[in-house]
Amino acid sequence: MQAISVQSAQGNYDIDVGDALLQSVGAVIAQKIPKARVAALVVDQAIEHTWAREVAASLQAAGLRVVMHVVHASEENKSIAQVEKIWRFLIAQRVQRSDVLCAMGGGIVGDMAAFAASTYMRGIATVMIPTTLLAMVDAAIGGKTAVNLPISSDALDASLSKNLSINLPTNLPTNSSPNLAKNMAGTICAPAWVVSDIRTLTTLSAREFRCGLAECVKHALLADESILSWLETHREGLRAMDPARLVELVHRSVSVKAAIVSRDEHEQGERAHLNLGHTFAHAIESLMHDQVHHGEAVSIGLVAMAAASQAAGWWPNADKFQISKRLDDLGLPVRMPASVDREKLKNAMKLDKKGQSGAIRLVLLKGLGRPGVLDAASEHVIDAGLDAIGA
Ligand SMILES: NC(=O)c1ccc[n+]([C@@H]2O[C@H](COP(=O)([O-])OP(=O)(O)OC[C@H]3O[C@@H](n4cnc5c(N)ncnc54)[C@H](O)[C@@H]3O)[C@@H](O)[C@H]2O)c1
Ligand SMILES: [Zn+2]
């Protein structure tokens, strides 16, 4: 087991990464949160009958009363309506301020359950138990919690630079999947503990595993390029789900994010760099979340980011680095899977919460490990990014 510590103004916390850690979750929680009498497990439907059972047994063995709420993971379900269901469940189960909520699953359930925990009774202790590679290396770390908000299609058609407004969904079509403003409501609330048992990855689909690799590549580009060559060297070990290799990958990638959020918990500066490729990615997800998963959108977004970095004159020889080929070699998408209205995509980029006053804000690279923020990207820079991904 390898532990990493995160500094937080709300209390430092550990991230434990290892093989077969689930059976000791109860004992560790009893020691870290001794006042807790109830453990509310909010779990992803995909792991309800497998990994969640192990955790429930371990919590029970440690003397906690275990109550379980199951959530179906989808971006549409990452909603305030589902959070309300969690709140109601917590009240019905008489969960107290001193108790603990364990958020177990991928990033969708993790973000949403942690949001519910951070607001229920003004905040109860949260333990993150990520079960996807993406959640282990990224979503479960740093205390960001969120739900998506629906956007009316009018808001995407309108010129948002003139009129930046989100209409809440009185005029949403009821029979098609709504466009979503990603992570528009949320909190930053440090968990009490993060525990990543890489054994849970053995039931993950190959597609979801690759999604996690996209965030590992992001971390590599931001701060540790050796992760890229590591990924090439250990391709076979990863394919075979070699536990030692998985622990190493998660540990290396977590180390990058943990260091950044320790220095800048509330995104006053450096933490914004973790949004590398994400203004493009969130816009793609806003319009195509039923086809493109978050990690896939991040992969496409990183390709757009590299082209935009070059067009902005920040990274003149970005193309020589072949980010697109590297992602493709990992089995990740590097172009839009279907055609989409470019203006809608740009309007979705303007809605991304990182922009200000309708301008599009991009995190770009000046070279490997040299990120920076371009506050109001020009049409030329954005178009270069969109051209590179066939949008
Ligand atoms: N809070 C943050 O800082 C942060 C950072 C990055 C991403 N995110 C968010 O994370 C979300 C994406 O997370 P994700 O990629 O984990 O997607 P996800 O939560 O949709 O999980 C992917 C799929 O895998 C299933 N699953 C989960 N664990 C499994 C397991 N062990 N075995 C089999 N199936 C399993 C889920 O049910 C789902 O179908 C996005 O909503 C994104 O916005 C948040
Ligand atoms: Zn991401």
Side-chain angles (χ1 to χ4, degrees):
M1 200 257 295
Q2 302 200 24
I4 297 160
S5 176
V6 177
Q7 317 294 304
S8 163
Q10 300 161 47
N12 299 349
Y13 58 94
D14 289 334
I15 302 167
D16 289 342
V17 181
D19 189 7
L21 300 181
L22 293 186
Q23 57 261 50
S24 50
V25 163
V28 177
I29 288 179
Q31 177 238 317
K32 284 189 188 282
I33 312 165
K35 289 192 180 143
R37 296 288 167 265
V38 182
L41 257 182
V42 178
V43 302
D44 196 312
Q45 189 186 35
I47 52 143
E48 176 190 356
H49 299 296
T50 50
W51 310 116
R53 292 272 165 100
E54 271 191 39
V55 170
S58 153
L59 290 162
Q60 261 155 4
L64 288 140
R65 177 164 73 87
V66 180
V67 294
M68 197 190 293
H69 178 81
V70 180
V71 183
H72 175 76
S74 73
E75 290 292 344
E76 236 173 286
N77 253 356
K78 189 173 157 183
S79 65
I80 207 69
Q82 292 296 325
V83 167
E84 186 178 349
K85 284 190 183 165
I86 300 173
W87 285 330
R88 285 173 183 267
F89 163 78
L90 297 174
I91 294 173
Q93 296 295 339
R94 301 181 310 283
V95 173
Q96 305 294 312
R97 177 77 186 78
S98 51
D99 291 326
V100 60
L101 183 148
C102 300
M104 187 169 184
I108 289 181
V109 171
D111 275 13
M112 181 166 47
F115 177 78
S118 74
T119 45
Y120 179 72
M121 293 190 174
R122 301 205 175 85
I124 64 171
T126 315
V127 168
M128 303 300 288
I129 313 178
T131 62
T132 63
L133 180 61
L134 189 141
M136 287 182 187
V137 301
D138 198 345
I141 304 153
K144 275 194 183 176
T145 79
V147 293
N148 303 324
L149 298 182
I151 326 172
S152 76
S153 42
D154 291 355
L156 291 177
D157 289 331
S159 169
L160 294 167
S161 49
K162 290 191 201 111
N163 176 20
L164 183 69
S165 66
I166 301 177
N167 280 340
L168 283 171
T170 48
N171 54 348
L172 276 176
T174 49
N175 56 351
S176 66
S177 74
N179 299 312
L180 296 172
K182 281 275 302 179
N183 302 337
M184 263 299 163
T187 56
I188 296 184
C189 187
W193 182 38
V194 183
V195 53
S196 291
D197 184 339
I198 54 88
R199 211 159 36 99
T200 61
L201 301 178
T202 55
T203 56
L204 197 62
S205 70
R207 179 179 182 184
E208 294 301 344
F209 185 81
R210 289 195 295 270
C211 281
L213 295 179
E215 302 280 15
C216 295
V217 170
K218 177 190 80 178
H219 291 152
L221 295 172
L222 282 176
D224 183 1
E225 68 176 281
S226 70
I227 293 175
L228 291 171
S229 45
W230 187 95
L231 282 169
E232 275 166 29
T233 312
H234 296 288
R235 198 172 296 171
E236 277 314 310
L238 289 178
R239 204 166 283 151
M241 302 298 271
D242 174 346
R245 295 286 83 79
L246 289 173
V247 170
E248 198 180 344
L249 175 64
V250 174
H251 189 269
R252 289 182 75 135
S253 192
V254 164
S255 299
V256 170
K257 179 154 182 183
I260 293 174
V261 298
S262 290
R263 291 191 291 263
D264 180 22
E265 184 174 25
H266 288 279
E267 200 163 316
Q268 301 302 303
E270 186 186 3
R271 185 169 182 167
H273 295 162
L274 290 165
N275 296 318
L276 191 74
H278 276 59
T279 304
F280 290 105
H282 283 159
I284 296 166
E285 279 186 282
S286 288
L287 303 181
M288 313 177 94
H289 58 86
D290 46 352
Q291 292 175 57
V292 182
H293 294 182
H294 179 72
E296 294 167 344
V298 169
S299 174
I300 300 168
L302 289 173
V303 174
M305 175 283 301
S309 300
Q310 182 149 357
W314 282 29
W315 191 8
N317 53 359
D319 51 352
K320 292 212 178 70
F321 189 67
Q322 298 186 302
I323 285 181
S324 177
K325 181 178 180 304
R326 288 165 192 263
L327 290 161
D328 185 52
D329 286 348
L330 291 169
L332 284 159
V334 292
R335 289 177 74 80
M336 298 293 285
S339 67
V340 49
D341 182 330
R342 190 179 271 216
E343 281 316 301
K344 279 195 179 173
L345 207 50
K346 285 186 184 174
N347 282 335
M349 289 174 80
K350 286 174 190 163
L351 272 178
D352 198 52
K353 62 198 172 307
K354 288 165 275 295
Q356 282 172 356
S357 324
I360 295 180
R361 189 172 188 233
L362 295 178
V363 179
L364 300 177
L365 288 178
K366 297 170 183 167
L368 284 180
R370 296 175 56 218
V373 176
L374 180 60
D375 271 320
S378 68
E379 289 288 316
H380 162 69
V381 168
I382 294 157
D383 281 328
L386 296 178
D387 287 344
I389 58 174

